[in-house]
């Protein structure tokens, strides 16, 4: 019998994948499935970004690059943070390019956390965070956020969980799965508190541009010795398959991340890096057009869900997810979120992700990264099933 290492035996497999498999099986049987499970923008990568990749290939930029990325891309990331947040990162020492935001998060956790360390993680959380914390050997300390506060959190909430073993906190705003954003003053306070109490703030802002109510964290004290920013081209530029992300933070942490990367993946794809330079340095107006469309969809989704008896959906301020409370629909045969999403799939052909995957029963996640036509069709089916 094959005996796998404990670290992989204990790993959870993303439920999104299991759900996709089920949906595919139904579609193969001829069922018209409406997919609200998707975690990526439904727009293609813009043409001029693809053309930059063509040019990179024509110029034979097809060999190893520096492990931490080409200087042009590191500069583009540092410039972006200077422009948008007023932060001053040294592109050479304080920025590293990674194979997507996910690898940046993995590397930063492996660079900072050891067995015995505690890492504060707000719940609901993106499915990958608990697994990466577990792989690093640290323990997760959950910070319960609530619907009444829009799933956001305050410095006071964090303070209650700090112990001498606290080594870090993972903040993800705009949030997957809730769409919550964090007020700038709370973020400032948390960063300040982390500095005083000697722990790190890992700030995952892969959905940074998907903000609908004009809230901004510009001017937050990024670039300080205890903050690591993680970003990505995946969502903002519809480049999920290209696998380009980054981290910006203290030189020692960034160097450690680069060392880890040098012994695992080496540099991110050379051609994709050049495409990312184009994405970050070009005119950004097309991003705004995408955000405007997502805002319209968000409003339709939230309004449609709130018309269903038993469902209550707060207005998400960012990302492209709604996280409705569906516990009002529970009964003797639908007893939790898993049973709810299975019922929805089997009876109405609508794919959603159970709140339990994000650590929270009574909720589910709907992605509105799908066309208005499919959104309306999906909502109609949910309304019919429960109305
Ligand atoms: N962080 C969050 C909260 C995400 O939802 C995702 C992707 O779904 C990522 C990070 C990583 O994205 P990528 O590795 O494609 O950059």
């Amino acid at each position: 019998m094959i005996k796998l290492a404990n670290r992989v035996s204990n790993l959870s497999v993303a439920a999104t994948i299991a759900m996709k498999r089920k949906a595919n099986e139904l579609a193969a049987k001829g069922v018209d499935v409406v997919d609200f499970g998707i975690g990526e923008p439904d727009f293609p990568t813009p043409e001029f970004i693809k053309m930059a990749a063509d040019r990179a290939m024509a110029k034979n930029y097809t060999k190893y690059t520096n492990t931490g990325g080409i200087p042009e891309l590191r500069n583009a990331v540092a410039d972006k943070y200077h422009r948008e947040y007023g932060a001053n990162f040294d592109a050479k020492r304080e920025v590293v390019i990674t194979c997507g935001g996910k690898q940046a998060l993995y590397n930063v956790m492996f660079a900072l956390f050891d067995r015995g360390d505690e890492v504060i993680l707000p719940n609901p959380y993106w499915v990958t965070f608990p697994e990466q914390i577990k792989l690093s050997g640290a323990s997760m300390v959950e910070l319960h956020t609530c619907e009444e506060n829009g799933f956001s959190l305050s410095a006071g909430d964090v303070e209650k969980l700090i112990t001498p073993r606290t080594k870090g906190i993972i903040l993800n705003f705009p949030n997957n799965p809730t769409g919550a954003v964090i007020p700038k003053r709370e973020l400032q306070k948390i960063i300040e508190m982390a500095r005083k109490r000697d722990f790190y703030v890992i700030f995952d802002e892969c959905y940074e541009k998907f903000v609908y109510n004009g809230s901004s964290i510009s001017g937050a004290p990024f670039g300080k010795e205890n903050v690591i920013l993680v970003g990505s081209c995946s969502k903002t530029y519809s480049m999920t398959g290209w696998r380009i992300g980054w981290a910006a933070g203290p030189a020692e942490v960034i160097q450690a991340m680069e060392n880890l990367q040098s012994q695992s993946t080496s540099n991110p794809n050379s051609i994709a890096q050049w495409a990312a330079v184009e994405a970050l340095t070009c005119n950004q107006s097309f991003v705004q057009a995408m955000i405007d469309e997502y805002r319209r969809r968000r409003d339709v989704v939230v309004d449609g869900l709130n018309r269903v008896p038993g469902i209550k959906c707060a207005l998400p301020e960012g990302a492209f997810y709604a996280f409705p409370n569906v516990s009002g629909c529970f009964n003797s045969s639908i007893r939790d979120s898993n049973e709810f999403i299975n019922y929805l799939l089997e009876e109405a052909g609508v794919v959603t992700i159970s709140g339990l995957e994000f650590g929270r029963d009574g909720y589910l996640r709907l992605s509105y990264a799908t066309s208005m036509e499919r959104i309306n069709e999906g909502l109609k089916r949910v309304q019919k099933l429960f109305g």
Side-chain angles (χ1 to χ4, degrees):
M1 198 176 84
I2 293 178
K3 195 167 179 321
L4 295 172
N6 284 338
R7 80 177 73 83
V8 286
S9 308
N10 296 333
L11 216 54
S12 307
V13 177
T16 40
I17 295 170
M19 200 59 187
K20 187 87 200 147
R21 197 180 312 127
K22 255 188 170 173
N24 287 345
E25 280 166 18
L26 277 181
K29 283 186 200 153
V31 177
D32 173 31
V33 171
V34 177
D35 193 353
F36 287 129
I38 317 150
E40 59 184 348
D42 52 318
F43 296 96
T45 305
E47 230 24 67
F48 57 89
I49 295 177
K50 292 193 268 184
M51 278 161 57
D54 280 348
R55 287 197 298 277
M57 270 193 288
K59 288 182 182 165
N60 288 317
Y61 293 162
T62 54
K63 302 288 176 70
Y64 290 132
T65 71
N66 291 342
T67 301
I70 54 176
E72 290 80 354
L73 186 50
R74 292 166 97 139
N75 283 331
V77 171
D79 288 350
K80 161 195 158 60
Y81 283 136
H82 183 66
R83 208 171 47 237
E84 296 179 1
Y85 295 152
N88 290 310
F89 288 109
D90 175 346
K92 213 163 151 194
R93 299 169 55 249
E94 297 176 331
V95 174
V96 62
I97 309 302
T98 56
C99 304
K102 194 180 269 187
Q103 192 196 18
L105 290 161
Y106 185 94
N107 286 352
V108 75
M109 292 197 212
F110 272 70
L112 291 176
F113 304 147
D114 272 317
R115 195 161 298 283
D117 291 338
E118 289 178 355
V119 179
I120 300 173
L121 179 66
N123 166 323
Y125 42 69
W126 177 46
V127 290
T128 293
F129 292 135
E131 300 307 313
Q132 289 191 342
I133 294 171
K134 198 159 70 184
L135 282 169
S136 79
S139 318
M140 162 168 97
V141 176
E142 291 185 47
L143 190 167
H144 193 92
T145 64
C146 55
E147 191 183 338
E148 293 71 35
N149 297 333
F151 295 105
S152 196
L153 51 83
S154 70
D157 300 331
V158 177
E159 191 162 26
K160 288 183 205 134
L161 299 177
I162 300 173
T163 75
R165 288 167 60 193
T166 304
K167 185 78 184 281
I169 180 166
I170 296 171
L171 298 178
N172 162 224
F173 296 105
N175 184 266
N176 175 9
T178 64
V181 299
I182 187 165
K184 183 164 93 181
R185 66 173 187 286
E186 292 307 324
L187 181 58
Q188 281 169 327
K189 279 196 227 163
I190 294 168
I191 292 174
E192 210 40 57
M193 190 161 63
R195 204 130 61 100
K196 281 199 196 116
R197 307 287 294 268
D198 202 20
F199 65 90
Y200 294 92
V201 177
I202 298 172
F203 193 78
D204 172 359
E205 52 161 16
C206 287
Y207 295 89
E208 58 173 327
K209 299 290 182 230
F210 297 80
V211 175
Y212 306 114
N213 295 352
S215 48
S216 163
I217 51 169
S218 175
F222 299 126
K224 298 283 185 206
E225 66 270 26
N226 67 325
V227 186
I228 297 96
L229 280 174
V230 172
S232 169
C233 282
S234 287
K235 320 283 175 176
T236 308
Y237 304 109
S238 237
M239 290 177 68
T240 46
W242 298 72
R243 309 309 305 136
I244 296 294
W246 57 81
E252 292 83 351
V253 179
I254 295 297
Q255 187 59 57
M257 291 173 68
E258 190 170 336
N259 293 349
L260 276 168
Q261 192 158 297
S262 75
Q263 302 300 0
S264 55
T265 56
S266 292
N267 62 272
N269 179 295
S270 59
I271 299 155
Q273 287 192 64
W274 283 103
V277 172
E278 179 69 22
L280 285 170
T281 55
C282 70
N283 180 318
Q284 305 285 299
S285 55
F286 68 99
V287 177
Q288 193 51 49
M290 179 167 74
I291 305 306
D292 291 344
E293 173 59 18
Y294 280 125
R295 184 189 289 107
R296 279 191 287 276
R297 295 181 190 178
R298 173 197 69 159
D299 293 344
V300 169
V301 165
V302 171
D303 180 59
L305 289 171
N306 280 324
R307 287 170 192 274
V308 181
I311 298 185
K312 219 166 59 186
C313 187
L315 191 70
E317 290 190 40
F320 41 71
Y321 306 108
F323 199 64
N325 184 334
V326 295
S327 58
C329 297
F330 290 179
N331 53 37
S332 55
S333 52
I334 307 175
R335 289 159 302 183
D336 64 21
S337 293
N338 287 348
E339 291 185 353
F340 185 97
I341 61 145
N342 281 326
Y343 180 69
L344 208 54
L345 180 61
E346 281 153 23
E347 299 300 318
V350 173
V351 178
T352 56
I353 310 291
S354 165
L356 283 163
E357 299 305 324
F358 310 99
R360 193 64 69 90
D361 195 15
Y363 295 83
L364 52 86
R365 191 193 77 176
L366 276 95
S367 158
Y368 44 89
T370 186
S371 72
M372 202 65 107
E373 184 268 316
R374 296 311 281 164
I375 288 173
N376 282 321
E377 173 62 25
L379 287 171
K380 210 165 73 190
R381 293 187 197 182
V382 179
Q383 283 159 358
K384 192 164 163 218
L385 195 61
F386 292 100

